[in-house]
Amino acid sequence: KRIVNLFKINKYAKDKETIVVPGKVLGTGLLDKKVNVVAYSISEQAKEKLKSSGSSYMGLAELLQKNPKGKNVRILG
C-alpha cells in the first residue's frame, strides 16, 4: 500500500480527473482543483480538504460500479 498526500495529487492531477491511490490519502498540502479521489482509505483531514475544494472521494468498489472499464483514470502511488 502507498501513502499519498494531497499536495502530490494537486501537483500531478488535472482538473476534473479521477485519481486512484492504491493505499491511503493523507491531508498534507492544499488542493486547488476539483478531482475525484479513489483510495483504500483516507484521513479525516484529507476528507475535509477534499470537500472544501469541491472534490469528491469514493472507495474502489464504488468506482468499479460507476466506471467498470476504468476509462480516464490516473493512478498515483
Side-chain angles (χ1 to χ4, degrees), residues 11-50:
K11 182 177 179 180
Y12 293 107
K14 296 175 184 172
D15 201 30
K16 299 180 183 175
E17 188 172 39
T18 300
I19 303 297
V20 176
V21 177
K24 186 168 186 163
V25 176
L26 298 178
T28 303
L30 298 174
L31 189 62
D32 59 7
K33 301 173 185 172
K34 283 188 177 182
V35 293
N36 299 316
V37 176
V38 180
Y40 288 121
S41 63
I42 187 169
S43 71
E44 288 299 318
Q45 185 181 14
K47 276 185 187 179
E48 291 173 17
K49 288 184 178 183
L50 282 172

